[in-house]
Amino acid sequence: WPGGRIAPGTCFRLYSEADFAARPEFTDPEIRRAALAGVILRMLSLGLGSIEDFPFLEPPDSRAVADGWQQLNELGAVEYRFVSAAQDLDAAFDYFLQAEASSWKGGTGTGSAILLNPGKVEFYRTLMHEFSARNACSINLILVDGVCIASQFCLLAGDTLYLLKIGYSEEYRAMGPGNVLLNELLQRCCADPNVGKLSFITGANWNDSWAPAQQDVYENHIFNTTLPGVSGYLLEKIKDQGRHIKHWLQRVRQRSPA
């Protein structure tokens, strides 16, 4: 019957030899027995990376990890937002700009973040509104405790969804939030009958595992008739001729006997 200690002493637990022989040699580690929602959230806050990629000596069961993420999603601690409604896009756009500027594109990195260039901000905001009028723009986010850690700027043309811009928080880079969000986007694309293809429209190495098929991307320059415009056009023509001459010289050298 249930009982408890009433004074210092020694406690003996009695069980059969068969029961003892059936037990594992060691008790399972706590990481394999405990609920993981708190562990996942703590790892995120410490920047330790994704629990799936952490080098545990004995990693937790994948089903327990999935349950932990599900619990966090239900509690709202980790939230995925796929925003396409016109009235919600401006707020999502601000989240996107902040996340992109907090990555290597920010002021301490390459300085190429959209937020650092008012002209670019206005361009992408206008682009967002133009495509939103056709229900063809979406901004996708991952938020942890209300802070955006990954973002995507997407446009739909025909049956192709173009992943135009991405951003992520440098603080959480170890967990690969961009890839986590990309995985969610791929699942949604597969379930959406309006999307036939997802285009990364970039040649970056990070997308090689996601984009087995590639297509050429062309860059067009348009010059106006002002003096700077004409000067720029002439400079480009000179550069173009220089490239043709360099290519011709390489072919001549290859054909010349050694």
Side-chain angles (χ1 to χ4, degrees), residues 48-107:
L48 295 178
S50 169
I51 188 172
E52 294 91 341
D53 298 327
F54 193 81
F56 291 106
L57 293 177
E58 295 189 49
D61 185 78
S62 59
R63 291 170 295 181
V65 173
D67 289 342
W69 279 110
Q70 180 63 31
Q71 184 179 355
L72 288 175
N73 287 332
E74 292 172 356
L75 293 173
V78 176
E79 180 183 0
Y80 296 92
R81 291 187 189 176
F82 290 80
V83 182
S84 57
Q87 67 271 20
D88 299 326
L89 277 173
D90 279 308
F93 184 66
D94 291 337
Y95 272 122
F96 161 74
L97 293 177
Q98 292 293 339
E100 196 215 21
S102 67
S103 70
W104 53 270
K105 300 177 184 179

Side-chain angles (χ1 to χ4, degrees), residues 119-171:
K120 285 186 177 180
V121 172
E122 185 59 29
F123 171 78
Y124 281 100
R125 192 181 295 276
T126 301
L127 196 64
M128 176 185 71
H129 288 150
E130 289 289 335
F131 275 79
S132 173
R134 303 193 295 271
N135 196 30
C137 177
S138 66
I139 295 178
N140 312 322
L141 312 166
I142 295 181
L143 289 91
V144 174
D145 286 339
V147 177
C148 182
I149 67 169
S151 59
Q152 300 168 338
F153 186 100
C154 301
L155 300 176
L156 181 65
D159 70 340
T160 302
L161 184 67
Y162 292 93
L163 183 54
L164 198 62
K165 285 288 182 179
I166 63 171
Y168 62 87
S169 171
E170 199 71 28
E171 181 181 353

Side-chain angles (χ1 to χ4, degrees), residues 174-239:
M175 68 165 289
N179 280 337
V180 174
L181 186 56
L182 184 57
N183 181 62
E184 288 292 320
L185 178 62
L186 284 169
Q187 293 185 51
R188 284 175 172 263
C189 287
C190 291
D192 189 342
N194 296 317
V195 178
K197 291 187 294 183
L198 175 63
S199 173
F200 295 94
I201 56 172
T202 177
N205 293 332
W206 62 266
N207 75 42
D208 287 348
S209 60
W210 302 91
Q214 300 182 6
Q215 62 185 67
D216 293 334
V217 176
Y218 298 93
E219 183 175 344
N220 295 313
H221 297 265
I222 301 175
F223 304 94
N224 56 30
T225 56
T226 62
L227 180 58
V230 173
S231 300
Y233 171 75
L234 293 174
L235 181 60
E236 285 297 322
K237 291 294 289 184
I238 293 172
K239 289 181 179 178

